[in-house]
Structures are given as C-alpha cells and as structure tokens.
Amino acid sequence: MTGLMRRRAIVAAFCLTAGGCGGDSPTGPAPTPPAIGLSTRQVAFAAPQGGASPGPQTVAVQDSGTQTLTGLAIGPITYTGTSGWLSASLDATTAPATLTLSVTTGSLTSGSYAANVPISASAASNSPQSIAVTFLVLSGGGTTTLAAAGQSVVFLDAPSLGTKLTLQSGSRYLIAVVNTAPTSTVTEDFRLVGALLSGATASVAALPAAAPPSLSPRYTEPPAPRGGTYALREPGMPSSVVLRQLAQNHLAMLDWNRRIYSRLGNPSTVRARLRAAGRIAPLSAAVTPTVGAVNQVYVRKALGGDCATVDSINARTVAVGQHIIVLADTNRTTWPQSQRPDTSFYPTFANEYDQITWPHIQNQIGDPLAYDANLAGLGKVTVTITPVLNGIGSGIVAFVNGCDFFPFTSSGPDPNFSNNTEMFYSLVPAPNGFTVTNWEKELRATAAHETKHLVSFTDRIINQSNAFEQIWLEEGLAQESSEIWMRQFNQATWKAHANFLQTVGCELNLGANAPCDAQNDKPLDLVVSHLPFLFKYLQKESQSNAEGLGLDFASDYGAGWAIARWATDQYASDEGGFIKSLVNEPALTGLDNLSAHTGQPIPLLLMYWNLASAIYTTPTYTAADPRITIPSFNLADIFNVGQTQLTCNGTPCGLFTDSGKPIFPVQPIALSAGAIGQTVQGVPGTAAAFFLLTASKTGTEALQLQSGSGGTLSPSSALRVGIIRVH
C-alpha cells in the first residue's frame, strides 16, 4: 500500500467512527447558518450644542462570508436618557447591505446620548444584532489648535470643557484634568469623552464603558540611559521606609504644634496674662553658652500629649558660635560612643552655621531671633542632639517644639516645661538609621530646614496670627530653605534648570567622573527628601488619584516643596523677598497665602503647577509658556539619570522608587484619537488626573468633560482642563 492510500484509509476509518465527515456523507452535519456580520458594532457622532448635526455614517451588513443576507430588517431605535435624535435606514439591494445612521437634531444640551439600533435577518444564527450609537454634544464649538510641540492651552473659565482639538498625524497631547478646589478633602468624579470629527473611517468606535483608572492602560516610557553610568558609593543610608517614617513623624509634630497654638493661644498673650497673674516661674532650664557646661533640657517624648509630655535630659554644651549653641545628650547608654561623631564635628558644624546657614536664613527666610527678647535672650539659636527623638514613634529626624515659645509654668491647668528659647532638636545616628558620617551630612542641611520653622513660629507670634501655616506650605517653604542652602555645595542656581549631576551628583559619591567629586563635605538634602518624596507624590497622583496637597508625607515634603519652588520661580523678582513675604504673612495660609503674594487666582496656580510637574518623559520640546515648567530644575533629567544611570552593584538603582524600576513618576492614561470615554473617580482638590492622547492621523478630535455619570458638570465644579502638545 502506498503512503497516499494508507492516509486515505486512516481518514475513512476516522469518518466512520466519528459519525461522518461533513459533506462526504449524506448523514453528516448540516451547513452552519450564516451569521450577521457588521463593519462595526458601535458608532459615535459629535456636534457642538446648537450647531449643525454631523453627517451620516454607514455600516456594512453582510453574512459571515461574502454574500448579502436575506430577510434583513431594522427594529425600533431604543434610546437611553432621551429620544428622537437618531434615524436609521437600510438598503438591502446592495451587496453588502448598507445601514445609514443620521443624527436628526443638534438642539440637545451638552452631554453624551446613547441609542441601540436592532438588526435582524432570516435564518441568521446570531439574529438579532444591534448597533450601539453615541451622540456627543459639545458645550462649545470652539477649536483648539496647538501648531507645534511645546504649545499649551488651559480652560479656566468653566468646568464644562467642549472643544475641537486639531490633530496632526503622529502628534501627542498631554491632558491634565485638575481639581482646582483648594483643599484635598474635596473630591470630584468626571468623564472625559471624545470623538473624531474628521479623519475618521466609517467604523468609528463608540465611547467605551467606564473603566476604573486602575484598569486603564497607562503610558509608561522607561527612561533611556544617556551617556555613562555612575556607581553609587554611599553606604549607610536609611531605607526608604525609614526615611518616610522619620518624615511622617516630623509632619505629625508640626500638626501637634498647630493644635497647641490653637488651643493655648498666642504665646505673647499667654505670657502677658501669666505675668499679670504672677504665675510665671523663674527660668529653670536656661541653656549655658559655655562649652563643657551641662544643661537640663526638656525634650518632647511623644507625638501627642501636651507641653508637659517631656523627658528631662542632661545635654552638654559642645560648641558655641556667634549665632548657634550646640548641645549633645550626655547619656552614653542610649547614645553609645560608637554612634557619636568625633568631637571636632561640633565646632565645625557651628562654624558652618555662622558662615553659611545664618546668612542664608537672614537673606532668604527671616529672623529666627525676632522674639528673643521675650524669651531667655540668649541671642543664639540652640540645637539639642538627643536619642529621645529616635524613640518617638519609629523616630523623627528633627523638630521645633512650639511649647518653647511659651513661658515655663510647672503648675496650673496647662503646665509647660519650656526651654524658653529658640531651639530645634535632632535625632542621633543609630544602627537602623543614619551612620555617623551620613548623619553629619544630613544635620547640616536640616539646620537650614528647622531654622526656617523657628522663623515661622516667631513671625506668627509677633504678627498675632490666629493660626500657624498649613503644614504642606510650612514644610514646603522649609524644604525650599534647605534647597537654596544647598547651592553653597552643589552647582544649582536660581532658575538655571539644574540637572542630575548638578544636584544629586553633588550629594552622593559618584566617583571621579561626577561633578563635585573633589568635595569631601557633601551634605545630604535633595536626594533623601525633596526628590524621592516628589517622585512618590506624582506616582501616587497619576496612578491612583490618592494625592493632593496636605494628604501625607509625599504631598507635604515633595509636592509642598515643588509648588513653593514653582511659585517662586514664576512670580518672584527677588527670591528671598518673595519667600519672606510668604513666611511673614500674618493672616492667610496655604493657597490663599500663595494667591495673595503671587497675585494669581488659585485655579490658575493649581493648573499651571500641575502641568509643570507632569513629568512622564524627557521632553524634546521647548515650552512656549514658561508657566508649564519649573525653571530652577530639570526634573525630567534628574529622574531619568537617577533611575537609569545610577547603578547599585552593577544594576540600575531606580533611586527614587521602591521597586527600582526605571520609570518616570507620572504614568498618564493612554488614549488614542477617536472615540474616548474615560471615567475617573475621586480626584482630590489641588490634584490632577493625566492623559496622553495620541493621533495616528490628521483630523479633529472633539473633547468634552462631563460629570462622572456622563451628564453636564455642575457650574460649581472646580474641575478645569489643560492641554500641552508634547510631540
């Protein structure tokens, strides 16, 4: 038997046992009935409110092969929400048959309207079928044209965006929907919808069903390494988890100080009242400005409690400068010798404070000793270094105790164990924290940060302010203080677009190829606080809508600094004068403070700041409007190099992320020009949701912002939209 005959025999045997092989036997299965085939199952229209209706669209109807179905019919149109705006006609004389859909009215109010057109066919296996139709009515008929990458537009007048965006083939547009409410506790839902008015084919997809942002496709462009790499040689850094906990506890202490001030009142008023009542006790915790003297110092020991929730410690005066006194806890059990710096560090630190930190504070922030005559009158700032801070919660890097501005009172309804002087406190090196070397670097920048808090307390007291500054701006300006202070040690200057090597490269030891490599005294500042916390804020904001000013450590340390820096870059003619005006503001707080001193409305500030901080890639364009940039920093380069060119044990460190993955902080929701229907829920006030719209062909995209349910936004909505052409 030949091979061919053998294969035929096998096939024949299989057909007999399997009950037939189709058309080979009269007892085989019947042919499959034809199925209705449609060129699309969804169609979208768009037209401006009150304007002309769009032209008709057609859908081809045929069977699953190439023949026209028989017995075709269309049923009554089913509308959702309203009726009477759509007509349908069927021409079954052609092959394939043609269904024509026409919008019969343009008088509907703005929003999106849905309908279904049923189609049936005799003997079709999947009859009936339906065509889903959406009609998008734009609230306005305006056209937006961004002719080149770098151009931008904002819509600040009303929440109901309705525009026709002119597209060019291959162009991309970053869209930010910003909740311009001034507080993060006010959240809003919205739906961004769109349709392609020209450049579309007959099979236009309808607005898709709403999907949670967590399930929406994200645009993630890993940063591409450029140039050489730098090996991180910085052992002894606390983990990101430890750094966040230290930061979070610092913020909790700021909040506690705000509550103490609110409950007890202005310290100057309290002092006058107690003096009149003869209740001010003699000063019992004075700091002695003599090296070697041991002082009794009261240190807060918890994040809660009152002004009597303190530990009494002995702290030796280890250095005295013209403007600072340095005290070190004498307890060798809780702070062993192995975790202590060389004694030469203290006078070196005091000298740097006098020569660099003090002039910086005077020039950029204000006078921390303006209230000194009402306190102990030492004429110097005091820093107390003690392991008590390591034991508060999971540790706190540093703080100012507002109780030190109140008089010492050991009895009464509100006893206060005050050190009666301008003092800030620092933790100490520890096995689970900073090494001695990195602690020394961190403390130097921290001094510029904490002294700013002393200025804030002092100014608010002298100005008889009703409340302290909101935490995110209080912390943001303190971050700005240490950032400016760092210019003495890095290569950044005001509004000079500083990159990774000019900033982070002057803090970490990256070897001989990096700038600042000859410096042995690099402080630590931006790399452990400003940059990783801003990265975290933007990542959380774009991926889960879980951010907004004042919500957590990332928003206070990272975003608070970024918006303060952005506002200073955009609206200050004198950097120090502008910052001082914010710090010395007697009544306003938060965004009201920024608005008053920039002369700009809050929605505008939030819109442009969110656009400026939407770092999703390394831009290849020059911004036409400088307000969509942060001129002092090239943050895209900083994040790019930090994620890809900085190596740890031979692999990219991913310096600013926990995962170590080389990504940019913002990952916008990816959209393609055409039918758009993207719902986002719970955007906090001050924050934004980001989209990246890509056009594959030239045309016009109709865009509409709606309520979360697809209706018209309330006129009171704080949602606003900004668009940047990025490619």
Side-chain angles (χ1 to χ4, degrees), residues 186-378:
V186 178
T187 62
E188 284 206 58
D189 305 338
F190 69 87
R191 194 174 192 215
L192 180 66
V193 296
L196 201 59
L197 301 185
S198 60
T201 62
S203 56
V204 181
L207 308 186
S214 59
L215 301 179
S216 303
R218 297 280 173 172
Y219 177 83
T220 56
E221 178 180 326
R226 294 179 297 130
T229 60
Y230 303 89
L232 180 62
R233 305 172 184 176
E234 205 72 28
M237 294 282 286
S239 69
S240 60
V241 174
V242 171
L243 287 173
R244 289 173 189 171
Q245 191 60 58
L246 294 174
Q248 193 68 59
N249 287 341
H250 175 76
L251 299 174
M253 192 66 77
L254 278 178
D255 183 59
W256 178 85
N257 277 318
R258 295 180 82 245
R259 288 185 280 114
I260 282 293
Y261 187 91
S262 177
R263 182 166 66 86
L264 298 182
N266 190 295
S268 63
T269 303
V270 173
R271 189 177 297 274
R273 184 175 69 247
L274 292 177
R275 183 180 290 113
R279 287 191 51 224
I280 295 182
L283 184 64
S284 60
V287 173
T288 303
T290 303
V291 174
V294 176
N295 311 272
Q296 182 187 21
V297 178
Y298 299 108
V299 183
R300 281 203 56 74
K301 64 180 181 180
L303 297 174
D306 53 27
C307 288
T309 308
V310 297
D311 272 343
S312 176
I313 68 166
N314 291 325
R316 179 171 283 106
T317 304
V318 291
V320 177
Q322 184 180 357
H323 303 290
I324 192 167
I325 301 171
V326 184
L327 308 181
D329 197 313
T330 61
N331 191 321
R332 299 279 171 163
T333 300
T334 56
W335 188 10
Q337 184 61 42
S338 61
Q339 296 296 322
R340 289 177 179 260
D342 186 275
T343 54
S344 63
F345 167 74
Y346 300 120
T348 301
F349 170 80
N351 182 66
E352 180 179 86
Y353 191 92
D354 286 344
Q355 299 301 316
I356 295 177
T357 309
W358 182 261
H360 155 75
I361 292 294
Q362 295 293 309
N363 293 333
Q364 302 289 343
I365 308 300
D367 184 4
L369 300 179
Y371 192 65
D372 192 56
N374 298 284
L375 300 173
L378 288 172

Side-chain angles (χ1 to χ4, degrees), residues 2 17 29 43 84 90 95 129 256-257 262 315 375 445 458 472 477 491 498 500 541 543 552 578 602 705 719 725:
T2 66
T17 56
V43 173
L90 180 68
Q129 289 293 296
W256 178 85
N257 277 318
S262 177
L375 300 173
T458 295
W472 66 263
L477 291 170
Q491 297 179 352
F500 178 89
E541 179 188 35
Q543 292 181 8
D552 61 7
F578 178 76
I602 290 173
L705 194 66
L719 294 174
R725 181 171 174 180

Side-chain angles (χ1 to χ4, degrees), residues 665-699:
V666 172
Q667 297 180 27
I669 296 172
L671 302 174
S672 296
I676 297 171
Q678 185 66 53
T679 298
V680 177
Q681 297 177 335
V683 178
T686 74
F690 299 104
F691 306 87
L692 188 66
L693 174 65
T694 300
S696 60
K697 60 181 67 178
T698 298

Side-chain angles (χ1 to χ4, degrees), residues 512-675:
N513 292 328
C516 309
D517 62 282
Q519 293 177 213
N520 296 319
D521 61 344
K522 298 180 182 181
L524 284 172
D525 187 40
L526 300 174
V527 74
V528 296
S529 179
H530 305 62
L531 297 170
F533 292 155
L534 175 59
F535 193 105
K536 190 68 175 178
Y537 174 88
L538 295 175
Q539 199 173 35
K540 292 173 66 178
E541 179 188 35
S542 71
Q543 292 181 8
S544 60
N545 304 319
E547 275 299 357
L549 293 172
L551 273 177
D552 61 7
F553 72 92
S555 64
D556 293 332
Y557 272 90
W561 164 65
I563 192 171
R565 166 47 57 205
W566 173 85
T568 305
D569 284 357
Q570 298 294 341
Y571 299 105
S573 57
D574 171 13
E575 186 177 33
F578 178 76
I579 295 172
K580 285 179 179 179
S581 72
L582 295 172
V583 175
N584 195 38
E585 165 58 44
L588 302 174
T589 63
L591 285 167
D592 289 329
N593 190 358
L594 278 180
S595 178
H597 292 281
T598 60
Q600 303 299 318
I602 290 173
L604 181 146
L605 295 176
L606 290 173
M607 171 57 69
Y608 281 108
W609 169 64
N610 273 286
L611 288 173
S613 56
I615 304 162
Y616 78 98
T617 187
T618 300
T620 57
Y621 60 86
T622 299
D625 188 334
R627 289 176 294 180
I628 63 173
T629 68
I630 301 178
S632 284
F633 291 93
N634 185 347
L635 289 171
D637 177 82
I638 292 172
F639 290 143
N640 185 347
V641 178
Q643 294 296 95
T644 63
Q645 291 179 242
L646 192 65
T647 60
C648 297
N649 299 320
T651 60
C653 296
L655 183 63
F656 306 111
T657 59
D658 295 333
S659 65
K661 294 181 179 179
I663 57 174
F664 283 100
V666 172
Q667 297 180 27
I669 296 172
L671 302 174
S672 296

Side-chain angles (χ1 to χ4, degrees), residues 9-205:
I10 293 173
V11 171
F14 173 81
C15 291
L16 289 173
T17 56
C21 287
D24 293 343
S25 169
T27 60
T32 302
I36 297 177
L38 305 174
S39 61
T40 181
R41 294 188 184 278
Q42 299 174 323
V43 173
F45 294 86
Q49 182 177 340
S53 297
Q57 292 196 45
T58 60
V59 176
V61 185
Q62 58 186 18
D63 67 14
S64 53
T66 60
Q67 302 302 313
T68 302
L69 287 159
T70 59
L72 275 171
I74 55 174
I77 301 172
T78 304
Y79 294 93
T80 301
T82 189
S83 62
W85 55 266
L86 181 71
S87 67
S89 61
L90 180 68
D91 183 356
T93 65
T94 62
T98 302
L99 178 69
T100 300
L101 301 169
S102 299
V103 176
T104 58
T105 179
S107 62
L108 299 173
T109 59
S110 63
S112 59
Y113 300 88
N116 278 286
V117 181
I119 304 173
S120 59
S122 59
S125 60
N126 61 342
S127 180
Q129 289 293 296
S130 64
I131 296 289
V133 183
T134 298
F135 183 29
L136 173 62
V137 182
L138 301 175
S139 58
T143 298
T144 297
T145 301
L146 303 175
Q151 294 188 356
S152 59
V153 62
V154 298
F155 300 88
L156 292 172
D157 294 337
S160 297
L161 165 75
T163 191
K164 293 177 287 186
L165 179 63
T166 302
L167 306 176
Q168 293 181 5
S169 179
S171 57
R172 283 179 174 173
Y173 305 84
L174 183 73
I175 302 172
V177 180
V178 181
N179 184 346
T180 62
T183 173
S184 59
T185 59
V186 178
T187 62
E188 284 206 58
D189 305 338
F190 69 87
R191 194 174 192 215
L192 180 66
V193 296
L196 201 59
L197 301 185
S198 60
T201 62
S203 56
V204 181

